[in-house]
PDB file of all heavy atoms in Angstrom:
ATOM      1  N   CYS S 514      10.523  14.629 -13.047  1.00  0.00           N
ATOM      2  CA  CYS S 514      10.572  13.333 -13.734  1.00  0.00           C
ATOM      3  C   CYS S 514      11.683  12.441 -13.191  1.00  0.00           C
ATOM      4  O   CYS S 514      12.058  11.451 -13.830  1.00  0.00           O
ATOM      5  CB  CYS S 514      10.757  13.543 -15.242  1.00  0.00           C
ATOM      6  SG  CYS S 514      12.174  14.592 -15.652  1.00  0.00           S
ATOM      7  N   THR S 515      12.217  12.785 -12.021  1.00  0.00           N
ATOM      8  CA  THR S 515      13.260  11.967 -11.401  1.00  0.00           C
ATOM      9  C   THR S 515      12.893  11.714  -9.937  1.00  0.00           C
ATOM     10  O   THR S 515      11.878  12.195  -9.443  1.00  0.00           O
ATOM     11  CB  THR S 515      14.627  12.683 -11.460  1.00  0.00           C
ATOM     12  OG1 THR S 515      14.517  13.965 -10.788  1.00  0.00           O
ATOM     13  CG2 THR S 515      15.059  12.918 -12.899  1.00  0.00           C
ATOM     14  N   GLY S 516      13.747  10.964  -9.258  1.00  0.00           N
ATOM     15  CA  GLY S 516      13.524  10.715  -7.830  1.00  0.00           C
ATOM     16  C   GLY S 516      12.219   9.990  -7.570  1.00  0.00           C
ATOM     17  O   GLY S 516      11.911   8.983  -8.215  1.00  0.00           O
ATOM     18  N   HIS S 517      11.426  10.515  -6.624  1.00  0.00           N
ATOM     19  CA  HIS S 517      10.186   9.830  -6.252  1.00  0.00           C
ATOM     20  C   HIS S 517       9.141   9.868  -7.366  1.00  0.00           C
ATOM     21  O   HIS S 517       8.210   9.078  -7.369  1.00  0.00           O
ATOM     22  CB  HIS S 517       9.623  10.447  -4.971  1.00  0.00           C
ATOM     23  CG  HIS S 517       9.050  11.815  -5.164  1.00  0.00           C
ATOM     24  ND1 HIS S 517       9.823  12.954  -5.176  1.00  0.00           N
ATOM     25  CD2 HIS S 517       7.771  12.234  -5.358  1.00  0.00           C
ATOM     26  CE1 HIS S 517       9.064  14.013  -5.366  1.00  0.00           C
ATOM     27  NE2 HIS S 517       7.809  13.610  -5.474  1.00  0.00           N
ATOM     28  N   ARG S 518       9.285  10.797  -8.314  1.00  0.00           N
ATOM     29  CA  ARG S 518       8.355  10.823  -9.457  1.00  0.00           C
ATOM     30  C   ARG S 518       8.520   9.582 -10.322  1.00  0.00           C
ATOM     31  O   ARG S 518       7.567   9.126 -10.947  1.00  0.00           O
ATOM     32  CB  ARG S 518       8.605  12.066 -10.307  1.00  0.00           C
ATOM     33  CG  ARG S 518       8.501  13.375  -9.567  1.00  0.00           C
ATOM     34  CD  ARG S 518       7.072  13.754  -9.304  1.00  0.00           C
ATOM     35  NE  ARG S 518       6.979  15.085  -8.710  1.00  0.00           N
ATOM     36  CZ  ARG S 518       5.846  15.657  -8.350  1.00  0.00           C
ATOM     37  NH1 ARG S 518       4.709  15.014  -8.493  1.00  0.00           N
ATOM     38  NH2 ARG S 518       5.850  16.872  -7.819  1.00  0.00           N
ATOM     39  N   ALA S 519       9.743   9.078 -10.385  1.00  0.00           N
ATOM     40  CA  ALA S 519      10.015   7.877 -11.173  1.00  0.00           C
ATOM     41  C   ALA S 519       9.888   6.607 -10.334  1.00  0.00           C
ATOM     42  O   ALA S 519      10.109   5.501 -10.844  1.00  0.00           O
ATOM     43  CB  ALA S 519      11.407   7.964 -11.794  1.00  0.00           C
ATOM     44  N   PHE S 520       9.565   6.762  -9.067  1.00  0.00           N
ATOM     45  CA  PHE S 520       9.323   5.618  -8.174  1.00  0.00           C
ATOM     46  C   PHE S 520       8.031   5.903  -7.427  1.00  0.00           C
ATOM     47  O   PHE S 520       8.015   6.147  -6.230  1.00  0.00           O
ATOM     48  CB  PHE S 520      10.505   5.462  -7.199  1.00  0.00           C
ATOM     49  CG  PHE S 520      10.492   4.167  -6.437  1.00  0.00           C
ATOM     50  CD1 PHE S 520      10.797   2.965  -7.050  1.00  0.00           C
ATOM     51  CD2 PHE S 520      10.187   4.147  -5.090  1.00  0.00           C
ATOM     52  CE1 PHE S 520      10.794   1.777  -6.342  1.00  0.00           C
ATOM     53  CE2 PHE S 520      10.178   2.971  -4.364  1.00  0.00           C
ATOM     54  CZ  PHE S 520      10.480   1.779  -4.998  1.00  0.00           C
ATOM     55  N   TYR S 521       6.931   5.867  -8.156  1.00  0.00           N
ATOM     56  CA  TYR S 521       5.658   6.370  -7.640  1.00  0.00           C
ATOM     57  C   TYR S 521       4.673   5.256  -7.312  1.00  0.00           C
ATOM     58  O   TYR S 521       3.957   5.325  -6.307  1.00  0.00           O
ATOM     59  CB  TYR S 521       5.044   7.311  -8.678  1.00  0.00           C
ATOM     60  CG  TYR S 521       3.732   7.944  -8.259  1.00  0.00           C
ATOM     61  CD1 TYR S 521       3.707   9.094  -7.477  1.00  0.00           C
ATOM     62  CD2 TYR S 521       2.511   7.387  -8.642  1.00  0.00           C
ATOM     63  CE1 TYR S 521       2.513   9.675  -7.093  1.00  0.00           C
ATOM     64  CE2 TYR S 521       1.310   7.958  -8.258  1.00  0.00           C
ATOM     65  CZ  TYR S 521       1.316   9.101  -7.486  1.00  0.00           C
ATOM     66  OH  TYR S 521       0.124   9.666  -7.104  1.00  0.00           O
ATOM     67  N   ILE S 522       4.602   4.233  -8.119  1.00  0.00           N
ATOM     68  CA  ILE S 522       3.563   3.203  -7.969  1.00  0.00           C
ATOM     69  C   ILE S 522       3.838   2.285  -6.783  1.00  0.00           C
ATOM     70  O   ILE S 522       2.938   1.989  -5.982  1.00  0.00           O
ATOM     71  CB  ILE S 522       3.433   2.378  -9.266  1.00  0.00           C
ATOM     72  CG1 ILE S 522       3.005   3.272 -10.431  1.00  0.00           C
ATOM     73  CG2 ILE S 522       2.450   1.240  -9.089  1.00  0.00           C
ATOM     74  CD1 ILE S 522       2.971   2.577 -11.773  1.00  0.00           C
ATOM     75  N   ILE S 523       5.068   1.824  -6.648  1.00  0.00           N
ATOM     76  CA  ILE S 523       5.402   0.815  -5.642  1.00  0.00           C
ATOM     77  C   ILE S 523       5.057   1.250  -4.212  1.00  0.00           C
ATOM     78  O   ILE S 523       4.532   0.444  -3.434  1.00  0.00           O
ATOM     79  CB  ILE S 523       6.891   0.422  -5.767  1.00  0.00           C
ATOM     80  CG1 ILE S 523       7.087  -0.421  -7.023  1.00  0.00           C
ATOM     81  CG2 ILE S 523       7.383  -0.330  -4.541  1.00  0.00           C
ATOM     82  CD1 ILE S 523       8.527  -0.790  -7.316  1.00  0.00           C
ATOM     83  N   PRO S 524       5.316   2.512  -3.794  1.00  0.00           N
ATOM     84  CA  PRO S 524       4.961   2.895  -2.415  1.00  0.00           C
ATOM     85  C   PRO S 524       3.482   2.736  -2.083  1.00  0.00           C
ATOM     86  O   PRO S 524       3.140   2.550  -0.911  1.00  0.00           O
ATOM     87  CB  PRO S 524       5.390   4.368  -2.353  1.00  0.00           C
ATOM     88  CG  PRO S 524       6.505   4.478  -3.332  1.00  0.00           C
ATOM     89  CD  PRO S 524       6.118   3.568  -4.455  1.00  0.00           C
ATOM     90  N   PHE S 525       2.582   2.777  -3.065  1.00  0.00           N
ATOM     91  CA  PHE S 525       1.161   2.581  -2.801  1.00  0.00           C
ATOM     92  C   PHE S 525       0.880   1.161  -2.319  1.00  0.00           C
ATOM     93  O   PHE S 525      -0.157   0.901  -1.704  1.00  0.00           O
ATOM     94  CB  PHE S 525       0.339   2.860  -4.057  1.00  0.00           C
ATOM     95  CG  PHE S 525       0.080   4.324  -4.297  1.00  0.00           C
ATOM     96  CD1 PHE S 525       1.013   5.119  -4.930  1.00  0.00           C
ATOM     97  CD2 PHE S 525      -1.109   4.905  -3.869  1.00  0.00           C
ATOM     98  CE1 PHE S 525       0.782   6.470  -5.133  1.00  0.00           C
ATOM     99  CE2 PHE S 525      -1.353   6.251  -4.073  1.00  0.00           C
ATOM    100  CZ  PHE S 525      -0.407   7.037  -4.704  1.00  0.00           C
ATOM    101  N   PHE S 526       1.793   0.241  -2.588  1.00  0.00           N
ATOM    102  CA  PHE S 526       1.619  -1.151  -2.177  1.00  0.00           C
ATOM    103  C   PHE S 526       2.631  -1.562  -1.113  1.00  0.00           C
ATOM    104  O   PHE S 526       2.436  -2.575  -0.456  1.00  0.00           O
ATOM    105  CB  PHE S 526       1.756  -2.058  -3.404  1.00  0.00           C
ATOM    106  CG  PHE S 526       0.758  -1.758  -4.484  1.00  0.00           C
ATOM    107  CD1 PHE S 526       1.018  -0.782  -5.440  1.00  0.00           C
ATOM    108  CD2 PHE S 526      -0.448  -2.431  -4.538  1.00  0.00           C
ATOM    109  CE1 PHE S 526       0.095  -0.482  -6.427  1.00  0.00           C
ATOM    110  CE2 PHE S 526      -1.379  -2.137  -5.517  1.00  0.00           C
ATOM    111  CZ  PHE S 526      -1.112  -1.160  -6.472  1.00  0.00           C
ATOM    112  N   CYS S 527       3.678  -0.768  -0.942  1.00  0.00           N
ATOM    113  CA  CYS S 527       4.697  -1.071   0.068  1.00  0.00           C
ATOM    114  C   CYS S 527       4.253  -0.577   1.443  1.00  0.00           C
ATOM    115  O   CYS S 527       4.302  -1.317   2.423  1.00  0.00           O
ATOM    116  CB  CYS S 527       6.023  -0.437  -0.343  1.00  0.00           C
ATOM    117  SG  CYS S 527       7.361  -0.671   0.850  1.00  0.00           S
ATOM    118  N   GLY S 528       3.834   0.690   1.536  1.00  0.00           N
ATOM    119  CA  GLY S 528       3.370   1.209   2.816  1.00  0.00           C
ATOM    120  C   GLY S 528       3.931   2.592   3.119  1.00  0.00           C
ATOM    121  O   GLY S 528       4.515   3.258   2.255  1.00  0.00           O
ATOM    122  N   ASN S 529       3.769   3.020   4.369  1.00  0.00           N
ATOM    123  CA  ASN S 529       4.150   4.353   4.802  1.00  0.00           C
ATOM    124  C   ASN S 529       5.491   4.405   5.525  1.00  0.00           C
ATOM    125  O   ASN S 529       5.837   5.434   6.112  1.00  0.00           O
ATOM    126  CB  ASN S 529       3.054   4.945   5.688  1.00  0.00           C
ATOM    127  CG  ASN S 529       1.824   5.336   4.890  1.00  0.00           C
ATOM    128  OD1 ASN S 529       1.861   6.261   4.089  1.00  0.00           O
ATOM    129  ND2 ASN S 529       0.730   4.608   5.089  1.00  0.00           N
ATOM    130  N   LEU S 530       6.226   3.317   5.497  1.00  0.00           N
ATOM    131  CA  LEU S 530       7.578   3.350   6.033  1.00  0.00           C
ATOM    132  C   LEU S 530       8.454   4.219   5.134  1.00  0.00           C
ATOM    133  O   LEU S 530       8.250   4.286   3.923  1.00  0.00           O
ATOM    134  CB  LEU S 530       8.160   1.936   6.118  1.00  0.00           C
ATOM    135  CG  LEU S 530       7.476   0.958   7.070  1.00  0.00           C
ATOM    136  CD1 LEU S 530       8.098  -0.417   6.941  1.00  0.00           C
ATOM    137  CD2 LEU S 530       7.574   1.452   8.508  1.00  0.00           C
ATOM    138  N   LYS S 531       9.442   4.859   5.729  1.00  0.00           N
ATOM    139  CA  LYS S 531      10.320   5.732   4.953  1.00  0.00           C
ATOM    140  C   LYS S 531      11.061   4.947   3.876  1.00  0.00           C
ATOM    141  O   LYS S 531      11.294   5.443   2.762  1.00  0.00           O
ATOM    142  CB  LYS S 531      11.319   6.417   5.894  1.00  0.00           C
ATOM    143  CG  LYS S 531      12.161   7.473   5.206  1.00  0.00           C
ATOM    144  CD  LYS S 531      13.064   8.195   6.202  1.00  0.00           C
ATOM    145  CE  LYS S 531      13.881   9.278   5.503  1.00  0.00           C
ATOM    146  NZ  LYS S 531      14.754  10.003   6.467  1.00  0.00           N
ATOM    147  N   GLN S 532      11.408   3.682   4.175  1.00  0.00           N
ATOM    148  CA  GLN S 532      12.130   2.864   3.210  1.00  0.00           C
ATOM    149  C   GLN S 532      11.305   2.583   1.959  1.00  0.00           C
ATOM    150  O   GLN S 532      11.849   2.274   0.899  1.00  0.00           O
ATOM    151  CB  GLN S 532      12.547   1.533   3.838  1.00  0.00           C
ATOM    152  CG  GLN S 532      13.385   1.676   5.091  1.00  0.00           C
ATOM    153  CD  GLN S 532      12.546   1.616   6.347  1.00  0.00           C
ATOM    154  OE1 GLN S 532      11.654   2.426   6.535  1.00  0.00           O
ATOM    155  NE2 GLN S 532      12.833   0.655   7.207  1.00  0.00           N
ATOM    156  N   CYS S 533       9.975   2.681   2.095  1.00  0.00           N
ATOM    157  CA  CYS S 533       9.097   2.389   0.956  1.00  0.00           C
ATOM    158  C   CYS S 533       9.173   3.458  -0.127  1.00  0.00           C
ATOM    159  O   CYS S 533       8.746   3.227  -1.260  1.00  0.00           O
ATOM    160  CB  CYS S 533       7.650   2.237   1.432  1.00  0.00           C
ATOM    161  SG  CYS S 533       7.328   0.706   2.343  1.00  0.00           S
ATOM    162  N   THR S 534       9.679   4.622   0.206  1.00  0.00           N
ATOM    163  CA  THR S 534       9.780   5.707  -0.774  1.00  0.00           C
ATOM    164  C   THR S 534      11.152   5.762  -1.429  1.00  0.00           C
ATOM    165  O   THR S 534      11.387   6.610  -2.293  1.00  0.00           O
ATOM    166  CB  THR S 534       9.480   7.064  -0.111  1.00  0.00           C
ATOM    167  OG1 THR S 534      10.452   7.307   0.915  1.00  0.00           O
ATOM    168  CG2 THR S 534       8.091   7.067   0.500  1.00  0.00           C
ATOM    169  N   VAL S 535      12.044   4.870  -1.027  1.00  0.00           N
ATOM    170  CA  VAL S 535      13.393   4.829  -1.584  1.00  0.00           C
ATOM    171  C   VAL S 535      13.456   3.738  -2.640  1.00  0.00           C
ATOM    172  O   VAL S 535      13.048   2.597  -2.388  1.00  0.00           O
ATOM    173  CB  VAL S 535      14.438   4.568  -0.480  1.00  0.00           C
ATOM    174  CG1 VAL S 535      15.845   4.510  -1.075  1.00  0.00           C
ATOM    175  CG2 VAL S 535      14.356   5.637   0.599  1.00  0.00           C
ATOM    176  N   THR S 536      13.963   4.080  -3.813  1.00  0.00           N
ATOM    177  CA  THR S 536      14.076   3.108  -4.902  1.00  0.00           C
ATOM    178  C   THR S 536      14.976   1.953  -4.469  1.00  0.00           C
ATOM    179  O   THR S 536      16.177   2.130  -4.264  1.00  0.00           O
ATOM    180  CB  THR S 536      14.656   3.772  -6.157  1.00  0.00           C
ATOM    181  OG1 THR S 536      13.854   4.897  -6.517  1.00  0.00           O
ATOM    182  CG2 THR S 536      14.686   2.795  -7.315  1.00  0.00           C
TER     183      THR S 536
END
Side-chain angles (χ1 to χ4, degrees):
C514 53
T515 58
H517 72 277
R518 303 284 186 182
F520 192 73
Y521 182 84
I522 298 175
I523 288 176
F525 279 83
F526 301 86
C527 178
N529 287 292
L530 296 175
K531 187 176 181 179
Q532 303 95 301
C533 287
T534 62
V535 179
T536 304

